[in-house]
Amino acid sequence: MTPLEALLGATLTTSDGGTIDTATLANKKTICLYFSAHWCGPCRGFTPKLAAAWAEYKKAAGDDADAELVFVSWDRSEDSFKEYHAEMTFPAVNFAPELCSGLGDKFGVQGIPSLVALSPSGDIIHSKDSGVDLRSLIDKHGAAAFPLSTERVSALKAEAAVKADAALAQLYDGTIKCMVKAPGGGSEMSLNDLLGRHEHVGLCLGDGDSTDSTYAELAETVE
């Protein structure tokens, strides 16, 4: 028995009612468990995004896909599970509430929807301390986030850092126009001009909520 069979059972259920052998997942780089339930509003919002990203990834990767996505249901009845699973194109752990809730406990799932990436040995790939939010990666990158391995996550972080550095350079040289307005209805100037007048310029990124005390505290500090 493989580690994945011990965790998930000998077979998985496909959304059309068939079965696949869990042992076939042993050749994948990552096995992504998707904890979700039909009764969960945020789950119903995220599932279509995940399903679309997965379909795009599978279409591009074909039989060479390095990942498998597996639904772990926290539904309250088998009928609800079947109805919800029909919306997905990836297999599921057979409906067994104790097994599925036990998997959540084992991998520290505290709320749904939640994604957990495992190695073929059944070990969690991204620990809580890593700060990796797989759901956010799917939201942001879609199919490009797969196979959700450590290598892919590192590559996405590196790509984001390069883009951030490029954007900052463009702000600095004026390629990206950013107008800055003086307080109290003062005149406007570009951030590029402001940088030319001062040795240091601090940027405070926020939503402009005047009730947020952070802005007042920052103003006092500057003064």
Side-chain angles (χ1 to χ4, degrees):
M1 178 181 290
T2 67
L4 290 175
E5 287 177 292
L7 274 174
L8 310 178
T11 62
L12 301 173
T13 302
T14 60
S15 56
D16 60 2
T19 61
I20 62 172
D21 292 333
T22 306
T24 60
L25 275 56
N27 64 344
K28 302 296 183 181
K29 182 177 290 186
T30 56
I31 297 85
C32 306
L33 303 184
Y34 177 46
F35 293 84
S36 186
H38 187 267
W39 52 260
C40 166
C43 297
R44 293 197 303 274
F46 179 68
T47 295
K49 296 179 184 178
L50 178 63
W54 179 249
E56 183 180 342
Y57 167 72
K58 287 285 285 183
K59 182 178 180 180
D63 294 336
D64 296 326
D66 285 332
E68 184 58 83
L69 184 59
V70 178
F71 172 40
V72 181
S73 173
W74 280 10
D75 284 296
R76 293 165 180 156
S77 71
E78 189 167 7
D79 286 343
S80 294
F81 158 69
K82 289 180 178 179
E83 179 183 351
Y84 191 34
H85 190 207
E87 302 174 16
M88 307 172 192
T89 57
F90 40 90
V93 172
N94 295 318
F95 184 73
E98 288 188 8
L99 171 61
C100 293
S101 63
L103 287 170
D105 292 339
K106 180 177 178 62
F107 297 117
V109 176
Q110 297 179 332
I112 53 174
S114 182
L115 284 165
V116 175
L118 304 180
S119 69
S121 61
D123 296 318
I124 194 166
I125 294 175
H126 307 287
S127 68
K128 294 289 184 183
D129 295 336
S130 70
V132 175
D133 184 343
L134 299 181
R135 178 181 165 189
S136 294
L137 290 178
I138 295 295
D139 273 332
K140 186 173 183 180
H141 301 285
F146 288 107
L148 296 174
S149 59
T150 52
E151 296 87 354
R152 186 60 191 140
V153 170
S154 295
L156 290 172
K157 287 181 178 179
E159 291 169 11
V162 169
K163 290 179 181 178
D165 288 344
L168 189 60
Q170 290 176 320
L171 277 173
Y172 187 81
D173 66 19
T175 303
I176 296 177
K177 296 295 183 184
C178 179
M179 302 306 294
V180 179
K181 190 172 185 178
S187 60
E188 281 190 351
M189 69 174 65
S190 70
L191 178 60
N192 183 245
D193 289 337
L194 190 64
L195 287 165
R197 296 186 185 188
H198 301 278
E199 185 175 353
H200 300 288
V201 174
L203 298 178
C204 175
L205 305 180
D207 58 7
D209 181 2
S210 60
T211 63
D212 188 337
S213 62
T214 303
Y215 295 102
E217 292 169 5
L218 182 59
E220 291 179 8
T221 301
V222 173
E223 292 175 357

